[in-house]
Amino acid sequence: MNLSWSAAWRLARRGLDWRFRGLRLLLVCLVLGTAALAAIGTLTGAIRTELAARGQAMLGGDIEFTLAARTASPSERAALDRLGTLSVGTRLQALARRPGDLAATLPVELKSVDARWPLYGRFTLEGGKPAGAPVGMTAWIAPGVADRLGVRPGDRLQIGQAVLNVGGVIGDEPDRLGEGFSLGPTVIISEQALAATGLVQVGSMARTKYRLRLPASADPQAQADAVKAQFPTSGFEIRTRDKASPGLDRFVSRMGQFLVLVALAALAIAGIGIGNGVSSYLEARRSSIATLKILGATSGDVARIFLLQLAAASAVAIALGLALGVAATPLIGRALQGLLPIETGFVIDPLALAVAAAYGLLIALTFAAPPLIRARDFPAMALMRARVAPLAVRWRASALPVALGVGGIAALAVLTSPQKLLAAGFLGGAAALFVALAALGFGLTRLAAHLPRPKGAIARMALANLHRPGAQTSALVVALGFGLAAFVLLASIQTSLDANIARRVPTKAPDYFVLDLPPAALPQFDAVVHKAAPGAVIRTVPAMRGSIVAYGPESHMIRVADLKEIPDDAWALRGDRGLTYAADLPDGNVLTEGSWWPKDYTGEPLVSVDEQLRTVLGLKLGDRITITLLGVERSARIASFRRIDWDSMGFNYVLVFSPNAIADAPHNLAATVSLPASEKRAQVRRAILSGLVTALPSSSVIEIGPVLGQVRDILSQMGTAILAAASVAVLAGMAVLAGAIAAARERRQYDSVILRVLGASRGQLLTLLLAEYGLLCALLALVALALGTGAGWLVVTQLFDFAWLPDWPRVLGVLALGVALVMGLALAGSLSLLRTRPAQALREL
């Protein structure tokens, strides 16, 4: 007669204590996995909720239409006015300074707004004082402007030809996040003040934004599509409130993908630890199980008793993991506050917590099933003899529950993941990796059995321990392989991110970028720069803004407006881009196919295209590209493809046209100024800035140093976030390493006692143990290096689109530290075996 569940619980409860001795590895692994899932689910849910809730405020409207270097035509403006409440603003780079003080000059992002701004959200000044659009010649300034120029409310500020009154310091700017990356702190002014600056001229690099507040019943995407269809050649860059910040959306999506992979990896690694922990726990209770069976307990009774114990421990671990996940969310939010729109307080997401708890329960049951079924099915006498005649592994009995558990985990992962194919692919890869490591363990066991026996006693015994009955070689290979691979993964990601920051934000770059330089003012510009810095190198190029509207073979060109979704790498198709023309191949560019046009070329308009864009769009020589420039479509045939040195931080254009293609359009020049090392002094910089402000008030000068610092800070913050997330998998890997060694230690006690009885010293036992683990680690280090770097390559190149630039000495050093950790854990775990008295251990057999 089987025990009832209540009777089974009474027996199970007596076998537990509040310190959960024997089940601590299960608790640690399950807490780590559940906490990672809870934190990740809560974080991504909070981000997406915040993006959805703040979409209108972040964008500044329900729809935003942006035009480069021109304003809307009367017909375009009338069409927009009919849709709803329209607010118009302009964005451009400018120089701000204190009147009469040429030394105090600062590049800023100038933002003009009309009286209807902001359509959504609440604009406040420092101290929380609510405000609206500035009136007349008043300006709202960002804290960076106030600090660097030393101006405060009531002071005066000069931009271009206009002298403005500082009305207040910006506190909360609702549409700041939707504006994207800026090259300087913001100054907000009225349309009247913008006209007074004299900065907006024909060919200026200004962008005009038309933001609409629609009726509640209107569909933003439908209205946007209608305007796009009505004005297909306008060059409008259109965003709707559900995609208020496309760059942020892509970053959140990629970060979400990575976090999901980290959580699943932590769970997969934790599962191995749970299996080892349960095996060790049941092995320590081998005599109790046998006694229960001798006293009449059935296999079902044994399964119920220990299942309840494991369920109780799992429930405690899952609850603790959920609490840690919720507690970690504010810390993560604070770390990512500059990158993502999230609050730093506690966030409770019931769905995310329920999913994390379900994952934890499924993982615990799935990986605990094989050792539990093995203990349930064996007769009492077999359990009694387990140490001298180890129990055979009966995989058939475990196959069904494990398959059901794995199926449940896979179904839950795919159904709850926004990237279902990614989750399914990762789970398939993890399963294949698990099978491969298990097969490797089996192969090592068989290989060790057939290798010639070494002459030395210690070496011979170490080799024999790999294939003796009851050897844990396969389990150790799986656990150590996963654990060491986690170390390599972390090191490869970290070093690649560091290298990308150093490479993508170079130390060698022009000192200044100058925008909106009138061609007629070029001699004056040269004179001002060379007067302050005679050794300065100046480079100028024609600068325009336009949008790609169609591409492909002339007979069936693809219109960008007809694309349902623009590929991630086709960033040149999103909105307006910089355009230029050149008679000669630009510096830092290398032709990869085709030929450059002659200097005095007057034939069919031609264009040279970046080879990366060619790969993404599938372009060929002879295809055509159509752009819209100042509202007019222009088409050119592709004459060549170029490889661009993007790391040069110079003038790099995806599209370079022959002069006869676009030179007749109104435009200004852009210039770079590079100073020799001997002239990189603060006095020279002040002289250049003050001279340009006086001579060319309509031009914008951007100092590159602060911009590079800002980019480095953003990339470093992103790298820190990625590194912190990946560390979860490493922590799980460390727990698994400890658990695997602990599980193997329990099975070594009998062997150690027998060897001690036969006269082995403690030193010999220690040497034997270290030789065995050293041999395993030497083999697995190569496997972990391949696995960890492979996973790191996928994360760095495929998820985050960075270059694969690992620092191999550091990666190998971290792998060596991982091996040293394994050896240290093996040594620490063996001390209790060395202290075991043979007589006492023999009495317990």
Side-chain angles (χ1 to χ4, degrees), residues 332-554:
I332 301 172
R334 189 173 294 111
L336 298 177
Q337 196 171 15
L339 287 176
L340 301 174
I342 48 179
E343 301 295 332
T344 57
F346 286 98
V347 178
I348 303 295
D349 187 332
L351 179 60
L353 298 181
V355 170
Y359 267 124
L361 185 60
L362 283 171
I363 284 286
L365 293 177
T366 301
F367 284 88
L372 189 59
I373 290 173
R374 184 174 58 189
R376 181 198 70 178
D377 289 346
F378 277 88
M381 295 310 296
L383 288 167
M384 287 291 191
R385 295 193 301 267
R387 288 191 177 177
V388 294
L391 302 176
V393 178
R394 297 170 61 177
W395 293 108
R396 292 182 180 179
S398 305
L400 180 60
V402 169
L404 290 175
V406 171
I409 295 167
L412 185 62
V414 173
L415 292 176
T416 59
S417 173
Q419 299 87 23
K420 292 179 172 50
L421 290 177
L422 180 72
F426 177 81
L427 288 173
L433 180 59
F434 186 88
V435 171
L437 285 173
L440 176 64
F442 177 78
L444 286 177
T445 303
R446 298 297 299 271
L447 178 64
H450 291 85
L451 284 176
R453 297 175 63 185
K455 293 183 179 180
I458 296 297
R460 186 167 59 251
M461 294 176 67
L463 183 63
N465 278 344
L466 296 179
H467 64 84
R468 63 179 173 79
Q472 294 296 295
T473 304
S474 294
L476 284 172
V477 165
V478 173
L480 298 184
F482 268 103
L484 292 176
F487 283 91
V488 176
L489 171 68
L490 185 70
S492 61
I493 291 176
Q494 180 189 16
T495 56
S496 283
L497 290 176
D498 291 344
N500 273 277
I501 292 172
R503 177 178 174 181
R504 294 195 175 202
V505 189
T507 54
K508 292 183 179 181
D511 294 275
Y512 297 98
F513 274 105
V514 182
L515 305 177
D516 294 331
L517 176 63
L522 184 57
Q524 190 177 10
F525 172 76
D526 286 343
V528 169
V529 172
H530 286 124
K531 179 180 179 181
V537 177
I538 297 174
R539 181 186 172 200
T540 61
V541 296
M544 311 175 199
R545 301 289 296 187
S547 303
I548 299 175
V549 296
Y551 61 90
E554 186 172 10

Side-chain angles (χ1 to χ4, degrees), residues 168-186:
V169 178
I170 298 170
D172 183 14
E173 184 183 353
D175 56 352
R176 175 65 264 167
L177 200 58
E179 299 283 8
F181 182 77
S182 64
L183 296 175
T186 304

Side-chain angles (χ1 to χ4, degrees), residues 90-235:
T90 303
R91 309 291 184 272
L92 71 158
Q93 297 300 131
L95 282 176
R97 63 186 177 91
R98 293 199 305 263
D101 186 358
L102 296 178
T105 305
L106 177 68
V108 298
E109 180 185 89
L110 193 60
K111 173 178 177 177
S112 78
V113 296
D114 62 12
R116 292 172 176 167
W117 179 87
L119 292 175
Y120 290 100
R122 182 170 175 264
F123 175 76
T124 62
L125 298 175
E126 216 171 37
K129 180 182 177 181
V135 178
M137 302 302 288
T138 299
W140 308 134
I141 63 173
V145 179
D147 295 340
R148 294 187 60 183
L149 293 183
V151 292
R152 293 292 181 267
D155 292 343
R156 302 170 74 196
L157 187 71
Q158 184 166 350
I159 298 179
Q161 300 173 7
V163 177
L164 308 168
N165 300 311
V166 178
V169 178
I170 298 170
D172 183 14
E173 184 183 353
D175 56 352
R176 175 65 264 167
L177 200 58
E179 299 283 8
F181 182 77
S182 64
L183 296 175
T186 304
V187 174
I188 303 176
I189 61 175
S190 66
E191 292 178 305
Q192 175 188 346
L194 178 64
T197 63
L199 296 176
V200 179
Q201 303 171 3
V202 176
S204 296
M205 303 291 279
R207 309 179 82 226
T208 307
K209 299 193 174 187
Y210 299 85
R211 291 169 170 174
L212 276 166
R213 181 174 189 144
L214 301 176
S217 60
D219 180 359
Q221 190 59 54
Q223 300 286 15
D225 292 341
V227 172
K228 186 187 296 185
Q230 185 177 357
F231 304 102
T233 64
S234 65

Side-chain angles (χ1 to χ4, degrees), residues 9 210 226 562 740 769 826 833:
W9 169 241
Y210 299 85
D562 296 334
L769 183 84
L833 294 180

